[in-house]
Amino acid sequence: MNNSDLPPITNYPAWLWRVIRKIFVELVFAIGSLALGLIVFPLLRVFNHNKISYRRAAHKAVSYALDFYIHLMSLVRISTYTISDLKAMRDLRGCVIVANHPSMLDVIYILAFVRDAVCIVKAGLKKSLVSLIVNALYITNNIDFDIMQKECAEALQSGSNLIIFPEGTRTPRHGTNQYKKGAARIAIAAGANVQPLHIGGNLKYGLGKGETMLLVNPQERYKYDFTVLPQIQVSNYAGLSESIAAKRLTDDMRTAIDSVK
């Protein structure tokens, strides 16, 4: 990974303190994930015998836990954020949420904003510290697309929201990735509207793909600016063939997200 654009370290004690704080919040995240999987989820199963009610309660528990976590990151001055319309995100029901993907914290913030959300995650997380949460609640990207689409449609039609990053991987600091059509195909098949979200702020050194945990911006906190964009109505693509509708919807997603500079 080329880090030639990383600002120079001018204050080594401050840089080291920032690295220590970053490690601290990642340890808190790991411990919290284990507590949710080993304590909270089993308790929720006792009081929620219906699959849909259990998932909804578990999604809400994850959201509240991550809400605490993002405020903890602000408190210890690791990151700070603004969001243009938090109420709109709280009120979402049965929508496909699409966003650009500059860092590994993106999904954490979105899950904190949205109380009932499923996300498609990489299969490798099934063998990580968050495996108890992933295995219980989320959809991995290594299953057959038809099965994935069916599971996503069931979640959307039950009122849950679905988070997808159309690029399929984290956005590079310079340049972009091609948008994949999977999010559009799922939205069209489920008849779900699309909620575009733009994630801006400063550069996320140490949170990009393949970057080490010890890499931080030596001069400032991570800053996130979330812009909630107008929803895209899936009814706009009625009457089109599946392939044309998916392409147009994908193009419209990108146009909406790229409209924020």
Side-chain angles (χ1 to χ4, degrees), residues 103-119:
S103 82
M104 64 188 296
L105 293 180
D106 305 335
V107 70
I108 289 175
Y109 273 102
I110 300 172
L111 285 170
F113 298 150
V114 182
R115 292 304 187 212
D116 185 5
V118 179
C119 57

Side-chain angles (χ1 to χ4, degrees), residues 75-182:
L75 181 65
V76 300
R77 299 181 64 81
I78 284 294
S79 66
T80 184
Y81 75 93
T82 63
I83 180 168
S84 65
D85 193 345
L86 179 59
K87 185 178 185 303
M89 298 299 286
R90 290 274 196 260
D91 291 343
L92 288 178
R93 296 291 182 275
C95 284
V96 176
I97 303 165
V98 296
N100 56 315
H101 193 14
S103 82
M104 64 188 296
L105 293 180
D106 305 335
V107 70
I108 289 175
Y109 273 102
I110 300 172
L111 285 170
F113 298 150
V114 182
R115 292 304 187 212
D116 185 5
V118 179
C119 57
I120 297 175
V121 299
K122 63 182 181 180
L125 291 178
K126 296 187 76 169
K127 297 180 180 179
S128 69
L129 285 171
V130 296
S131 60
L132 294 172
I133 297 175
V134 170
N135 292 335
L137 296 179
Y138 303 130
I139 300 167
T140 54
N141 63 2
N142 64 333
I143 61 176
D144 181 81
F145 182 80
D146 289 338
I147 297 174
M148 180 190 298
Q149 184 170 274
K150 180 181 178 182
E151 291 185 7
C152 291
E154 289 174 352
L156 289 163
Q157 289 162 4
S158 72
S160 295
N161 302 287
L162 175 69
I163 302 168
I164 305 179
F165 298 105
E167 292 173 84
T169 187
R170 272 170 264 178
T171 312
R173 284 203 293 270
H174 305 291
T176 58
N177 298 310
Q178 183 177 357
Y179 274 36
K180 302 178 186 300
K181 297 178 184 176

